[in-house]
Amino acid sequence: MGCGTSIAVENQTRPSETDGSIKQPSPALTIKAAILIQRWYRRYVARLEMRRRYTWNIFQSIEYAGEQDQLQLSSFFSFMLDNFTQINGNGPDLISHLLDSVVDPLTEEVRQLKHEQIVVPESYSGPRLSFPLSVTDTNALLSAFKEEQTLHGKYVLQLLYETKKFLKQMPNVIYLSTSYAKEITICGDLHGSLDDLLLIFYKNGLPSAENPYVFNGDFVDRGKKSTEIIIILFAFLLLYPDHMHLNRGNHEDHIMNLRYGFTREVMQKYKTHGREILQLLQDVFSLLPLATVIDNKVLIVHGGISDKTDLDFLSTVERHKVKSALRLPKRSIDHLNVRACSRSSSRHSGRSRLDSPRSSGRTSRASRRKKKNFTKQGSCSSSSSSSSSSSSSKCSPRVSSRNTPRRPPPSPSLPSPTDVLQVPFLDSFVSLEPPEPPREELEWQQVVDILWSDPKNQNGCSPNSFRGGGSYFGPDVTQTLLQKHGLCLLIRSHECKQEGYELCHNGQVITIFSASNYYEEGSNRGAYVKLGPELVPRFFQYQVSRSTRKLTLHQRVRVAEGSALRALKEKLYAHRSELMAAFQQYDIDNTGRISTSEWAQVVESVLRLDLPWRTLRQRLARLGADGNVEYASCFEDISPGEPIPPVTPNLAETLYRYRTDLEIIFNIIDKDHSGQISIEEFRQTWKLFSSHLGVAVNDQAIDDMARSIDFNKDGSIDFNEFLEAFRVVHKLDVKEQQQG
Amino acid sequence: MADKYNAETIITETQKRISNAFDVFDHESNKTVDVREIGTIIRSLGCFPSEAELHDIIAELEEEEPTGFVRYEKFLPTMTKILLERKFRPIPEDLLLQAFEVLDQKKKGHLEPEELTKYLTQEGEPFTQEEMDEMLSAAVDPDKNVILYKDFVSMMTFDDIR
């Protein structure tokens, strides 16, 4: 670089300032200074990148761990359904009416009439839809939702009803063409993020005959505007039936919605009609098409494929019967023999489905590490599983697994010739007549594979153990399927990607994800992909930003990191007693300190999160003067809110850990959505739940707590208040708020 | 110093740090990382190699037939040596400040974005446009449109060690 001299020259020609003592640094010094700054800054950026990566890992691990818990919940529902016919004297109706499809006593016409007769008050200032819909209606909806208005329940019901009628005539697999030089836009998961949908429409235009769209599932759950999203999507679906296409995702499933927020959102926004809306949604979701094919060359499904996927078979499936991937088809339950609780070591299913994700997740971190190979980002264990493979807590109670060291993964045993096919179901094994599972199950499996599978990097097709259904499919599986049907590309969604999209399997698979900032502000971009007649994908990325000023990279990382660490600290807190007990085992001399290695080991084994704990340690726990970790310090920053009922710390911790599950259960029990349940119901539910988990909770403690919660002594509990009590407070946040 | 620590422990602890950092970038979980991430990993472990020094390290780590990946077996001994020998020590804040002051020839107490850009994209081991843009977005005071380097340095140092 000849710039050194030029700077010197410049200095000399510049008029001198009034301050005469300007130093003229030698060019060499300037270069040295520049190098120093460059080196320092690059190091800083590297550290930032490291923080960004592990922040991502934290979010993913917690998400996948949380979704493993979904298994817990759905197996609990099954447990309740099948074992307790007398809950409050109401029998399984209590649960089943929400979990299973209900036969509508009213005919379609009568129901439609009822909807028309709903009176919308004059004071309602939101959109009033008229069917058939027109552009006026969709524009009105978009403006209303931008203004945070809510569509009246009557119109929601009518919209859903029309959508259901429309979807009934659609096939399972929809064939599209890019003729007339139209580009088709394909969007991935939205998860209730209305901002992202509006941003896509802003950047790419509204759906129309000239601007066709495919939305690839997971419209709901997690985000707060799931209702608005499906209203908009269904409205456009009815308006442009040939140019707007929706694929079903694994979250278009009422059991998933129970846990991941959509049910709650609907019930909160629609107090009068919420229940009916949810019932109707069950049908609508199950009627959503499963796949879209463009120009007979590009296959679009939400999750992925397996080695059993066959588009021809898929076309014949009765898709509306698969209301939820988390419940096996009802009829097959009747066919099954009595569940012999064979909690033995022969846990291998003849159908090559791994056993309990719960126990295998617990027992085999080693195999989970292997599974890390499957996706580019860390732990790939995704989402929940079918209740059919939840041979979980009853057979292996949490208590014992906490204390035992990680068990080696169960060795797959070959089914003996005399054996019937053993399928893990609920907490036991159920025999199926080999070799042909009933058609309904084959259909169920096809559907679940489409909705739940994930790609992996190695060849082969293995069961997606953490989901209990669906597979991990390798490049060879992709290749085979594409060849079989003369296709060239698979587009799927289902997994969050930092850049909003990702290619794998030698470019034959595209993952497209459209919810930006999915984990936290700044965590990831969203993207959509456009395909023209030449079928070359063009990607468009975006990121919704709440703040008006653009955040710098390091600000974004800091925000995301802070959020991830808070979530992690909550996890630590939720397992406090387990952790302390394990820490103390290493701390023989009772110094309050253990080595970093020991600390990392304990945390990893208790929390079962595959994270770089040694790197994270500096953010989570303090070092003593001797360089060892003061293990109690990782709980310092977080403390419980004011618990209303005085409970033992152990019980508080357990309640905190399961509060999400409890909330869901309460919501189901609370049939009239009053926010109140009876003390008796509370007691029974809690006892069931804790016995299912294998948590040892003193009956008396529960009774006392129930009674103390009932403030006005009228025999009912306001469970929202109850749950509020078990929120935690991050002390540092409080301090910042006070200072800020 | 605790009784627990001896040379062996230090080596083991160091290696575990290296392993941890490596794992964060080992996406396929097969004990390899993309060679382009090596700089990031080394820097995140607290070292400050210059670009030239980094190139030398990478040359050492690559296979005879460069695959684009670096294996952990090769990375570990090299990195251990670097850390134990405390090569590439961190840059103290005051030295950094002096460097900025050198560039601030008129002793204004701040730098114009154009000035800094010129130095950093043309001198030493030049920044790419992307690197420069990113630094400017963090360094430039939005109201005065200059780089108050004293504040910038202390903010970055604080954020880094927090």
Side-chain angles (χ1 to χ4, degrees), chain A residues 7 11 38-39 42-44 47 50 53 372-373 376 457 552-553 558 597 614-615 619, chain B residues 13 16 20 27-29 37 44 48 96 105-106 120 123 125-126 131 134 137 159-160 162:
Chain A
I7 289 176
N11 287 337
Q38 287 153 347
R39 274 175 49 188
R42 284 179 169 130
R43 190 247 172 188
Y44 172 78
R47 280 192 43 80
M50 172 70 91
R53 295 289 173 111
K372 263 174 77 171
N373 295 339
K376 286 193 79 180
N457 287 334
T552 64
L553 174 63
R558 205 194 305 173
S597 284
R614 304 178 64 84
T615 312
R619 297 289 210 239
Chain B
E13 292 290 316
K16 288 204 175 135
N20 231 184
H27 303 303
E28 315 245 322
S29 297
E37 315 249 47
S44 71
F48 285 87
L96 202 46
Q105 291 167 358
K106 293 199 212 126
L120 296 182
E123 300 277 6
E125 297 181 322
E131 283 177 305
E134 191 47 61
S137 72
D159 186 54
D160 207 16
R162 190 169 57 91

Side-chain angles (χ1 to χ4, degrees), chain B residues 56-141:
Chain B
D56 290 341
I57 297 172
I58 290 179
E60 211 184 293
L61 292 173
E62 271 186 327
E63 310 288 325
E64 268 120 39
E65 301 275 340
T67 58
F69 288 96
V70 170
R71 290 180 297 120
Y72 182 66
E73 299 91 61
K74 276 200 146 184
F75 183 71
L76 182 64
T78 308
M79 197 65 224
T80 310
K81 195 151 170 287
I82 293 175
L83 282 182
L84 289 179
E85 290 176 7
R86 297 185 176 283
K87 270 198 230 179
F88 314 126
R89 255 170 270 194
I91 301 172
E93 193 175 329
D94 49 353
L95 195 60
L96 202 46
L97 208 48
Q98 279 183 47
F100 274 101
E101 283 167 356
V102 164
L103 298 184
D104 179 18
Q105 291 167 358
K106 293 199 212 126
K107 302 302 159 229
K108 305 190 292 287
H110 64 260
L111 282 166
E112 307 291 332
E114 301 79 45
E115 275 184 281
L116 191 61
T117 303
K118 193 175 62 175
Y119 285 128
L120 296 182
T121 57
Q122 291 172 4
E123 300 277 6
E125 297 181 322
F127 272 173
T128 62
Q129 191 55 45
E130 211 185 311
E131 283 177 305
M132 196 65 237
D133 289 343
E134 191 47 61
M135 186 197 224
L136 286 177
S137 72
V140 174
D141 181 297

Side-chain angles (χ1 to χ4, degrees), chain A residues 444-462:
Chain A
W444 175 85
Q445 186 176 32
Q446 276 287 312
V447 173
V448 172
D449 279 346
I450 293 285
L451 300 181
W452 288 79
S453 299
D454 291 313
K456 59 169 174 162
N457 287 334
Q458 286 105 336
N459 280 335
C461 188
S462 47

Side-chain angles (χ1 to χ4, degrees), chain A residues 173 175 309-317 484-485:
Chain A
V173 184
Y175 289 85
T309 300
D310 181 296
L311 289 183
D312 302 317
F313 180 48
L314 190 66
S315 307
T316 66
V317 158
K484 180 155 111 183
H485 295 287

